[in-house]
PDB file of all heavy atoms in Angstrom:
ATOM      1  N   VAL B  47     -41.253  11.034   8.097  1.00  0.00           N
ATOM      2  CA  VAL B  47     -40.073  10.183   7.873  1.00  0.00           C
ATOM      3  C   VAL B  47     -39.176  10.941   6.895  1.00  0.00           C
ATOM      4  O   VAL B  47     -39.359  10.851   5.682  1.00  0.00           O
ATOM      5  CB  VAL B  47     -40.472   8.812   7.284  1.00  0.00           C
ATOM      6  CG1 VAL B  47     -39.247   7.895   7.185  1.00  0.00           C
ATOM      7  CG2 VAL B  47     -41.578   8.150   8.103  1.00  0.00           C
ATOM      8  N   VAL B  49     -36.075  11.480   4.762  1.00  0.00           N
ATOM      9  CA  VAL B  49     -35.066  10.576   4.201  1.00  0.00           C
ATOM     10  C   VAL B  49     -33.968  11.382   3.530  1.00  0.00           C
ATOM     11  O   VAL B  49     -34.215  12.120   2.569  1.00  0.00           O
ATOM     12  CB  VAL B  49     -35.712   9.637   3.160  1.00  0.00           C
ATOM     13  CG1 VAL B  49     -34.697   8.589   2.701  1.00  0.00           C
ATOM     14  CG2 VAL B  49     -36.965   8.970   3.725  1.00  0.00           C
ATOM     15  N   GLY B  53     -30.120   7.268   2.474  1.00  0.00           N
ATOM     16  CA  GLY B  53     -31.070   6.430   3.200  1.00  0.00           C
ATOM     17  C   GLY B  53     -31.160   6.642   4.698  1.00  0.00           C
ATOM     18  O   GLY B  53     -32.031   6.048   5.347  1.00  0.00           O
ATOM     19  N   LEU B  55     -32.192   8.581   8.158  1.00  0.00           N
ATOM     20  CA  LEU B  55     -33.364   9.383   8.509  1.00  0.00           C
ATOM     21  C   LEU B  55     -32.983  10.472   9.514  1.00  0.00           C
ATOM     22  O   LEU B  55     -32.012  10.326  10.260  1.00  0.00           O
ATOM     23  CB  LEU B  55     -34.461   8.508   9.126  1.00  0.00           C
ATOM     24  CG  LEU B  55     -34.905   7.282   8.325  1.00  0.00           C
ATOM     25  CD1 LEU B  55     -36.045   6.566   9.054  1.00  0.00           C
ATOM     26  CD2 LEU B  55     -35.330   7.668   6.913  1.00  0.00           C
ATOM     27  N   ARG B 103     -45.042  12.905   0.733  1.00  0.00           N
ATOM     28  CA  ARG B 103     -46.175  12.047   0.356  1.00  0.00           C
ATOM     29  C   ARG B 103     -46.655  11.263   1.556  1.00  0.00           C
ATOM     30  O   ARG B 103     -45.863  10.742   2.338  1.00  0.00           O
ATOM     31  CB  ARG B 103     -45.794  11.113  -0.794  1.00  0.00           C
ATOM     32  CG  ARG B 103     -44.670  10.173  -0.456  1.00  0.00           C
ATOM     33  CD  ARG B 103     -44.183   9.377  -1.677  1.00  0.00           C
ATOM     34  NE  ARG B 103     -42.833   8.894  -1.425  1.00  0.00           N
ATOM     35  CZ  ARG B 103     -42.546   7.697  -0.881  1.00  0.00           C
ATOM     36  NH1 ARG B 103     -43.502   6.846  -0.596  1.00  0.00           N
ATOM     37  NH2 ARG B 103     -41.288   7.341  -0.645  1.00  0.00           N
ATOM     38  N   VAL B 105     -48.109   8.049   3.352  1.00  0.00           N
ATOM     39  CA  VAL B 105     -48.052   6.614   3.049  1.00  0.00           C
ATOM     40  C   VAL B 105     -49.022   5.800   3.897  1.00  0.00           C
ATOM     41  O   VAL B 105     -49.196   4.598   3.652  1.00  0.00           O
ATOM     42  CB  VAL B 105     -46.615   6.064   3.216  1.00  0.00           C
ATOM     43  CG1 VAL B 105     -45.700   6.639   2.143  1.00  0.00           C
ATOM     44  CG2 VAL B 105     -46.059   6.358   4.610  1.00  0.00           C
ATOM     45  N   VAL B 121     -48.768   9.286   8.420  1.00  0.00           N
ATOM     46  CA  VAL B 121     -47.335   9.075   8.206  1.00  0.00           C
ATOM     47  C   VAL B 121     -46.959   9.683   6.854  1.00  0.00           C
ATOM     48  O   VAL B 121     -47.520   9.316   5.817  1.00  0.00           O
ATOM     49  CB  VAL B 121     -46.985   7.573   8.224  1.00  0.00           C
ATOM     50  CG1 VAL B 121     -45.485   7.368   8.040  1.00  0.00           C
ATOM     51  CG2 VAL B 121     -47.472   6.924   9.514  1.00  0.00           C
ATOM     52  N   VAL B 123     -43.775  10.671   4.253  1.00  0.00           N
ATOM     53  CA  VAL B 123     -42.371  10.532   3.873  1.00  0.00           C
ATOM     54  C   VAL B 123     -41.914  11.837   3.221  1.00  0.00           C
ATOM     55  O   VAL B 123     -42.595  12.363   2.337  1.00  0.00           O
ATOM     56  CB  VAL B 123     -42.186   9.342   2.911  1.00  0.00           C
ATOM     57  CG1 VAL B 123     -40.753   9.288   2.382  1.00  0.00           C
ATOM     58  CG2 VAL B 123     -42.532   8.027   3.633  1.00  0.00           C
ATOM     59  N   GLU B 125     -38.786  13.761   1.261  1.00  0.00           N
ATOM     60  CA  GLU B 125     -37.552  13.524   0.517  1.00  0.00           C
ATOM     61  C   GLU B 125     -37.064  14.817  -0.123  1.00  0.00           C
ATOM     62  O   GLU B 125     -37.713  15.844  -0.035  1.00  0.00           O
ATOM     63  CB  GLU B 125     -37.779  12.427  -0.529  1.00  0.00           C
ATOM     64  CG  GLU B 125     -37.972  11.057   0.151  1.00  0.00           C
ATOM     65  CD  GLU B 125     -38.528   9.987  -0.761  1.00  0.00           C
ATOM     66  OE1 GLU B 125     -39.469  10.279  -1.529  1.00  0.00           O
ATOM     67  OE2 GLU B 125     -38.049   8.845  -0.686  1.00  0.00           O
ATOM     68  N   PRO B 147     -32.525   3.797   9.537  1.00  0.00           N
ATOM     69  CA  PRO B 147     -33.745   3.240  10.140  1.00  0.00           C
ATOM     70  C   PRO B 147     -33.497   1.908  10.862  1.00  0.00           C
ATOM     71  O   PRO B 147     -34.058   1.658  11.928  1.00  0.00           O
ATOM     72  CB  PRO B 147     -34.701   3.065   8.952  1.00  0.00           C
ATOM     73  CG  PRO B 147     -33.889   3.261   7.716  1.00  0.00           C
ATOM     74  CD  PRO B 147     -32.712   4.074   8.098  1.00  0.00           C
ATOM     75  N   ALA B 165     -43.633   2.392  14.176  1.00  0.00           N
ATOM     76  CA  ALA B 165     -44.624   2.016  13.157  1.00  0.00           C
ATOM     77  C   ALA B 165     -44.367   2.760  11.850  1.00  0.00           C
ATOM     78  O   ALA B 165     -44.496   2.182  10.760  1.00  0.00           O
ATOM     79  CB  ALA B 165     -46.033   2.288  13.675  1.00  0.00           C
ATOM     80  N   ALA B 166     -43.991   4.026  11.939  1.00  0.00           N
ATOM     81  CA  ALA B 166     -43.749   4.818  10.722  1.00  0.00           C
ATOM     82  C   ALA B 166     -42.542   4.288   9.965  1.00  0.00           C
ATOM     83  O   ALA B 166     -42.553   4.216   8.729  1.00  0.00           O
ATOM     84  CB  ALA B 166     -43.545   6.294  11.089  1.00  0.00           C
ATOM     85  N   ILE B 167     -41.493   3.899  10.683  1.00  0.00           N
ATOM     86  CA  ILE B 167     -40.308   3.353  10.008  1.00  0.00           C
ATOM     87  C   ILE B 167     -40.654   2.037   9.311  1.00  0.00           C
ATOM     88  O   ILE B 167     -40.261   1.802   8.169  1.00  0.00           O
ATOM     89  CB  ILE B 167     -39.147   3.157  11.013  1.00  0.00           C
ATOM     90  CG1 ILE B 167     -38.618   4.517  11.474  1.00  0.00           C
ATOM     91  CG2 ILE B 167     -38.020   2.342  10.377  1.00  0.00           C
ATOM     92  CD1 ILE B 167     -37.530   4.420  12.535  1.00  0.00           C
ATOM     93  N   HIS B 168     -41.416   1.168  10.008  1.00  0.00           N
ATOM     94  CA  HIS B 168     -41.809  -0.092   9.367  1.00  0.00           C
ATOM     95  C   HIS B 168     -42.637   0.167   8.114  1.00  0.00           C
ATOM     96  O   HIS B 168     -42.462  -0.493   7.092  1.00  0.00           O
ATOM     97  CB  HIS B 168     -42.598  -0.962  10.344  1.00  0.00           C
ATOM     98  CG  HIS B 168     -41.725  -1.762  11.259  1.00  0.00           C
ATOM     99  ND1 HIS B 168     -40.876  -2.742  10.803  1.00  0.00           N
ATOM    100  CD2 HIS B 168     -41.567  -1.735  12.600  1.00  0.00           C
ATOM    101  CE1 HIS B 168     -40.235  -3.289  11.828  1.00  0.00           C
ATOM    102  NE2 HIS B 168     -40.625  -2.691  12.933  1.00  0.00           N
ATOM    103  N   LEU B 169     -43.535   1.142   8.211  1.00  0.00           N
ATOM    104  CA  LEU B 169     -44.371   1.449   7.048  1.00  0.00           C
ATOM    105  C   LEU B 169     -43.514   1.966   5.903  1.00  0.00           C
ATOM    106  O   LEU B 169     -43.677   1.553   4.746  1.00  0.00           O
ATOM    107  CB  LEU B 169     -45.424   2.490   7.468  1.00  0.00           C
ATOM    108  CG  LEU B 169     -46.430   2.939   6.418  1.00  0.00           C
ATOM    109  CD1 LEU B 169     -47.097   1.767   5.738  1.00  0.00           C
ATOM    110  CD2 LEU B 169     -47.482   3.832   7.076  1.00  0.00           C
ATOM    111  N   TYR B 170     -42.567   2.842   6.222  1.00  0.00           N
ATOM    112  CA  TYR B 170     -41.667   3.381   5.195  1.00  0.00           C
ATOM    113  C   TYR B 170     -40.813   2.264   4.583  1.00  0.00           C
ATOM    114  O   TYR B 170     -40.710   2.147   3.363  1.00  0.00           O
ATOM    115  CB  TYR B 170     -40.773   4.463   5.796  1.00  0.00           C
ATOM    116  CG  TYR B 170     -39.576   4.794   4.963  1.00  0.00           C
ATOM    117  CD1 TYR B 170     -39.733   5.423   3.725  1.00  0.00           C
ATOM    118  CD2 TYR B 170     -38.294   4.442   5.370  1.00  0.00           C
ATOM    119  CE1 TYR B 170     -38.637   5.703   2.934  1.00  0.00           C
ATOM    120  CE2 TYR B 170     -37.188   4.717   4.578  1.00  0.00           C
ATOM    121  CZ  TYR B 170     -37.370   5.342   3.357  1.00  0.00           C
ATOM    122  OH  TYR B 170     -36.283   5.604   2.568  1.00  0.00           O
ATOM    123  N   LEU B 171     -40.212   1.417   5.410  1.00  0.00           N
ATOM    124  CA  LEU B 171     -39.342   0.355   4.903  1.00  0.00           C
ATOM    125  C   LEU B 171     -40.147  -0.655   4.072  1.00  0.00           C
ATOM    126  O   LEU B 171     -39.688  -1.123   3.033  1.00  0.00           O
ATOM    127  CB  LEU B 171     -38.639  -0.374   6.049  1.00  0.00           C
ATOM    128  CG  LEU B 171     -37.556   0.402   6.791  1.00  0.00           C
ATOM    129  CD1 LEU B 171     -37.003  -0.434   7.929  1.00  0.00           C
ATOM    130  CD2 LEU B 171     -36.432   0.841   5.847  1.00  0.00           C
ATOM    131  N   GLY B 172     -41.342  -0.964   4.541  1.00  0.00           N
ATOM    132  CA  GLY B 172     -42.199  -1.913   3.821  1.00  0.00           C
ATOM    133  C   GLY B 172     -42.561  -1.396   2.443  1.00  0.00           C
ATOM    134  O   GLY B 172     -42.568  -2.150   1.468  1.00  0.00           O
ATOM    135  N   GLY B 173     -42.801  -0.092   2.342  1.00  0.00           N
ATOM    136  CA  GLY B 173     -43.213   0.486   1.053  1.00  0.00           C
ATOM    137  C   GLY B 173     -42.053   0.740   0.102  1.00  0.00           C
ATOM    138  O   GLY B 173     -42.233   0.813  -1.100  1.00  0.00           O
ATOM    139  N   SER B 174     -40.832   0.862   0.670  1.00  0.00           N
ATOM    140  CA  SER B 174     -39.703   1.237  -0.188  1.00  0.00           C
ATOM    141  C   SER B 174     -38.910   0.006  -0.649  1.00  0.00           C
ATOM    142  O   SER B 174     -37.945   0.145  -1.367  1.00  0.00           O
ATOM    143  CB  SER B 174     -38.765   2.204   0.574  1.00  0.00           C
ATOM    144  OG  SER B 174     -38.089   1.515   1.601  1.00  0.00           O
ATOM    145  N   ARG B 175     -39.330  -1.188  -0.161  1.00  0.00           N
ATOM    146  CA  ARG B 175     -38.596  -2.394  -0.552  1.00  0.00           C
ATOM    147  C   ARG B 175     -39.077  -2.923  -1.894  1.00  0.00           C
ATOM    148  O   ARG B 175     -40.253  -2.853  -2.203  1.00  0.00           O
ATOM    149  CB  ARG B 175     -38.790  -3.481   0.507  1.00  0.00           C
ATOM    150  CG  ARG B 175     -37.663  -3.425   1.539  1.00  0.00           C
ATOM    151  CD  ARG B 175     -37.985  -4.328   2.723  1.00  0.00           C
ATOM    152  NE  ARG B 175     -37.080  -4.036   3.844  1.00  0.00           N
ATOM    153  CZ  ARG B 175     -37.366  -4.325   5.106  1.00  0.00           C
ATOM    154  NH1 ARG B 175     -38.517  -4.859   5.426  1.00  0.00           N
ATOM    155  NH2 ARG B 175     -36.494  -4.046   6.061  1.00  0.00           N
TER     156      ARG B 175
END
Side-chain angles (χ1 to χ4, degrees):
Chain B
V47 185
V49 187
L55 306 183
R103 61 188 159 92
V105 292
V121 182
V123 173
E125 290 166 317
I167 291 176
H168 277 296
L169 181 51
Y170 163 68
L171 289 178
S174 70
R175 267 170 194 158

